Amino acid sequence: MQKLLLCFLIVISLPSAFSQRDMSKQAFVFPKESGNSYVSLTAQLRKPLTAFTVCLQAYTDLTRDYSLFSYATKKQNNEILLFKGQKGAYSVSVGGADVFFKLPERSPAPMHFCVTWESHSGITELWVDGKPMVRKSLKKGYNVETDASIILGQEQDSFGGGFDKGQSFVGDIGDVNMWDFVLSPDEINNVYQGSIFSPNVIDWQKLKYKAYGEVFIKPQLWS
């Protein structure tokens, strides 16, 4: 009995694990520039990725550089990265290589992004508010590793860290979903309109996450 009680006390005294929550109609709010505020996500991955689609909503008025989605491995900091540079340029990184997409400058408003990539052709797409940018090619024949640290709110310059306050995200991020295949154009447009196609890597409706620093969960402003 004493051993059982001791085991119970040890279990309840462990640090809090990742939470799982239905985040439908909710968003993570990063209210100010910070070097230590971020959200870490847990993905369902069993084998290296030969294709993927990542979709998310973001709302910010930042004019400087910032990270939207950072997926790092111990071998490669920018295994997958969606990053906003200056003057409307967005970069997509796979395996440390980058391609760039130019968007016209516009007034702050919620924006929906989908990134797709497939290994056998290297074809990389960025969709913004349901509209495709010009296709690019990136890391043909590459496999994305699965032992990943997935971060919202910061760019990783090392596995799970190496944050730069000047590249932190300020604003709202939500509807983060990821698949281990490339969604069709019709499916991407349906996701933009609010439909979900059973995400099998990251599921916003069954999100496993842990928040650090000043991060809040609030109703989405774009619902």
Side-chain angles (χ1 to χ4, degrees), residues 49-54 80 94 115-117 144 178-182:
L49 296 172
T50 57
F52 67 79
T53 302
V54 176
I80 302 173
V94 175
V115 175
T116 75
W117 171 82
V144 172
M178 184 173 180
W179 299 257
D180 63 1
F181 56 91
V182 173

Side-chain angles (χ1 to χ4, degrees), residues 13 71 107 118 188 190 199 213:
S13 65
Y71 178 119
S107 300
E118 59 183 17
I188 289 175
N190 286 335

Side-chain angles (χ1 to χ4, degrees), residues 22-110:
D22 183 353
M23 291 287 289
S24 300
K25 304 300 182 182
Q26 303 293 308
F28 290 119
V29 180
F30 304 85
K32 65 180 183 179
E33 186 176 277
S34 168
N36 57 11
S37 294
Y38 63 99
V39 175
S40 179
L41 306 181
T42 297
Q44 302 175 49
L45 290 168
R46 293 186 176 88
K47 60 183 180 178
L49 296 172
T50 57
F52 67 79
T53 302
V54 176
C55 295
L56 59 86
Q57 289 266 14
Y59 187 19
T60 183
D61 60 2
L62 289 173
T63 57
R64 58 161 173 77
D65 299 357
Y66 57 87
S67 173
L68 284 162
F69 182 89
S70 176
Y71 178 119
T73 65
K74 293 179 180 178
K75 294 181 180 179
Q76 177 53 250
N77 300 334
N78 295 337
E79 188 76 337
I80 302 173
L81 177 67
L82 176 58
F83 190 83
K84 167 64 167 58
Q86 296 181 358
K87 299 181 180 178
Y90 288 81
S91 64
V92 173
S93 305
V94 175
D98 312 312
V99 289
F100 298 89
F101 300 87
K102 178 70 174 179
L103 275 66
E105 293 287 349
R106 68 184 200 181
S107 300

